Amino acid sequence: MTIGVPKEIKIGETRVSMTPSLCRRCVMLGAKVLLEKGAGLTAGFTDAEYREAGATIVGDTARVWRSADLILKVKEPLEAEFELMQEGQTLFTYLHLAAGPELAQQLLKKRILGIAYETVEGLDGSFPLLKPMSQIAGRLSIQIGAYFLQSQHGGSGVLLGGVPGTMPGQVVVLGAGNSGAHAVQMAVGMGARVTVLDLDSRKLEAMDTEYRGRVVTLLANPSNVEQEVARADLVIGAVLIPAAKAPTVVTKKMVATMRPGSVIVDIAIDQGGCIEGIEPTSHEQPVYAERGVIHYAVPNMPALVGRTSTLALTQATEPFVTTLVRKGVEIALDENKGLALGVNTRDGKITNAAVAKALGAA
């Protein structure tokens, strides 16, 4: 098997899909690794390290795509990469097809076997390849929100932790999954007042037990969401339905009730966002203001910490990548049901029900 590792081209992307350590493991198992020159530099890995691990360093992006049986990436292919995909190739990356109909059409047209990190399942029904990036995005969301709340960025000038004699900032977290739980952890650590809303009472009970009353937990019904968003300094959208388009939880009308200079960070933007009408932003232009409220909606937030994100991601993907190398794609998918659940497109068809429904192909 030949594995191609192209350089990520999404704006501000610093992660790489393979570390020198994973490269060495794949080569030892008999794979050939073609790595685009400089692919790991922004994550702190040099070409020399990959070369020492057994990779062939390639200066031509097209050659990496053209020569590989398996393309290993971090982010979904962008329009400039569509023509590089080869008929019948296997692609293993985050796909987020519910928010990317154009990419879905290209994968179907070229009969790409598209395995999405975000729908691969563990033995316990969890999503092990989504988890580390969700955790990082959750932690970053508070860091980012605190930054844009500063007055020089147009924020309301609220310090989340406050100081004696002042009220701490109010953080509202929508969703108590991986990203939401880590956002709560960071916000509590900074000394903010924190409210978390979710539809799953068991998650709320667990959070109440963990924080011993330091976090307010509420059922995520429209009335509670409306009330909490209106009084928030920082709203974190952390609602996720794996593979499906994120549901709209906060309406434009709710956003209009927020105090000018308040901040929204929508972690769910990869899946279309959970804030009505929110538009994706980029690391170059991360925010925009609407009705006086600052919106942050960068789809590849974990790229802000490329080294940590790469190590966390590849630690999670390694068992699946090595299984593909050892057994070959077909046998690996046949024997590993969790990996097989990661297949979103195959033989010109969408094979994931949630993706098909989101794209109107169900």
Side-chain angles (χ1 to χ4, degrees), residues 204-223:
L204 297 178
E205 287 170 8
M207 201 155 283
D208 182 68
T209 299
E210 179 178 357
Y211 291 102
R212 300 172 182 266
R214 287 182 294 162
V215 171
V216 175
T217 58
L218 292 174
L219 189 68
N221 60 44
S223 177

Side-chain angles (χ1 to χ4, degrees), residues 5 7 34-39 47 51 56-64:
V5 182
K7 190 174 183 178
L34 299 180
L35 182 122
E36 185 175 354
K37 184 178 180 181
D47 290 343
R51 195 175 288 111
T56 298
I57 307 301
V58 179
D60 179 12
T61 306
R63 183 186 162 198
V64 174

Side-chain angles (χ1 to χ4, degrees), residues 258-277:
M258 296 177 72
R259 190 169 69 255
S262 300
V263 177
I264 293 173
V265 177
D266 195 343
I267 299 174
I269 193 64
D270 261 339
Q271 295 289 99
C274 62
I275 312 297
E276 184 182 13

Side-chain angles (χ1 to χ4, degrees), residues 257-334:
T257 67
M258 296 177 72
R259 190 169 69 255
S262 300
V263 177
I264 293 173
V265 177
D266 195 343
I267 299 174
I269 193 64
D270 261 339
Q271 295 289 99
C274 62
I275 312 297
E276 184 182 13
I278 196 163
E279 296 292 335
T281 58
S282 70
H283 289 296
E284 289 184 351
Q285 294 183 311
V287 297
Y288 65 90
E290 188 170 294
R291 304 188 187 192
V293 177
I294 298 170
H295 292 59
Y296 179 100
V298 176
N300 55 335
M301 284 174 63
L304 286 169
V305 286
R307 178 80 175 187
T308 296
S309 294
T310 292
L311 291 170
L313 176 60
T314 55
Q315 178 177 283
T317 60
E318 181 168 346
F320 298 100
V321 174
T322 53
T323 294
L324 289 168
V325 172
R326 283 189 296 107
K327 296 180 176 292
V329 174
E330 294 302 328
I331 294 176
L333 292 175
D334 186 55

Side-chain angles (χ1 to χ4, degrees), residues 19-32:
T19 59
S21 174
L22 177 54
C23 176
R24 181 175 290 106
R25 181 99 185 270
C26 290
V27 171
M28 288 176 65
L29 290 171
K32 181 178 181 180

Side-chain angles (χ1 to χ4, degrees), residues 25-337:
R25 181 99 185 270
C26 290
V27 171
M28 288 176 65
L29 290 171
K32 181 178 181 180
V33 175
L34 299 180
L35 182 122
E36 185 175 354
K37 184 178 180 181
L41 286 177
T42 50
F45 301 109
T46 65
D47 290 343
E49 289 177 274
Y50 285 106
R51 195 175 288 111
E52 186 179 340
T56 298
I57 307 301
V58 179
D60 179 12
T61 306
R63 183 186 162 198
V64 174
W65 284 86
R66 189 171 55 245
S67 306
D69 307 301
L70 168 65
I71 291 290
L72 196 63
K73 284 179 86 316
V74 176
K75 291 302 292 177
E76 70 281 354
L78 301 183
E79 186 175 351
E81 296 170 304
F82 289 172
E83 63 181 20
L84 300 175
M85 296 188 293
Q86 303 297 300
E87 185 88 17
Q89 205 165 42
T90 298
L91 173 65
F92 195 20
T93 187
Y94 288 115
L95 287 175
H96 298 297
L97 294 181
E102 298 84 2
L103 172 60
Q105 287 302 314
Q106 289 295 320
L107 297 181
L108 299 182
K109 178 183 176 182
K110 295 200 172 184
R111 305 179 72 84
I112 300 292
L113 175 56
I115 309 174
Y117 289 160
E118 68 269 17
T119 62
V120 171
E121 289 191 22
L123 295 175
D124 59 354
S126 64
F127 298 91
L129 308 190
L130 189 61
K131 183 177 180 179
M133 296 303 98
S134 295
Q135 292 173 335
I136 289 171
R139 294 189 177 205
L140 281 173
S141 68
I142 302 301
Q143 208 170 287
I144 290 163
Y147 179 78
F148 284 106
L149 277 170
Q150 294 175 186
S151 299
Q152 70 267 41
H153 303 303
S156 61
V158 170
L159 178 66
L160 286 183
V163 293
T166 71
M167 286 290 284
Q170 176 67 46
V171 176
V172 172
V173 180
L174 305 169
N178 277 316
S179 56
H182 281 259
V184 168
Q185 184 184 79
M186 288 291 284
V188 169
M190 292 178 74
R193 292 172 293 147
V194 182
T195 300
V196 59
L197 299 96
D198 199 281
L199 291 172
D200 189 337
S201 60
R202 293 170 301 176
K203 290 180 180 178
L204 297 178
E205 287 170 8
M207 201 155 283
D208 182 68
T209 299
E210 179 178 357
Y211 291 102
R212 300 172 182 266
R214 287 182 294 162
V215 171
V216 175
T217 58
L218 292 174
L219 189 68
N221 60 44
S223 177
N224 283 339
V225 172
E226 181 178 1
Q227 175 180 297
E228 294 305 313
V229 166
R231 57 197 289 263
D233 296 299
L234 171 60
V235 171
I236 306 297
V239 179
L240 173 71
I241 301 175
K245 189 181 184 306
T248 297
V249 177
V250 177
T251 65
K252 290 183 178 181
K253 185 177 179 181
M254 292 178 191
V255 173
T257 67
M258 296 177 72
R259 190 169 69 255
S262 300
V263 177
I264 293 173
V265 177
D266 195 343
I267 299 174
I269 193 64
D270 261 339
Q271 295 289 99
C274 62
I275 312 297
E276 184 182 13
I278 196 163
E279 296 292 335
T281 58
S282 70
H283 289 296
E284 289 184 351
Q285 294 183 311
V287 297
Y288 65 90
E290 188 170 294
R291 304 188 187 192
V293 177
I294 298 170
H295 292 59
Y296 179 100
V298 176
N300 55 335
M301 284 174 63
L304 286 169
V305 286
R307 178 80 175 187
T308 296
S309 294
T310 292
L311 291 170
L313 176 60
T314 55
Q315 178 177 283
T317 60
E318 181 168 346
F320 298 100
V321 174
T322 53
T323 294
L324 289 168
V325 172
R326 283 189 296 107
K327 296 180 176 292
V329 174
E330 294 302 328
I331 294 176
L333 292 175
D334 186 55
E335 294 183 357
N336 190 314
K337 301 305 180 185

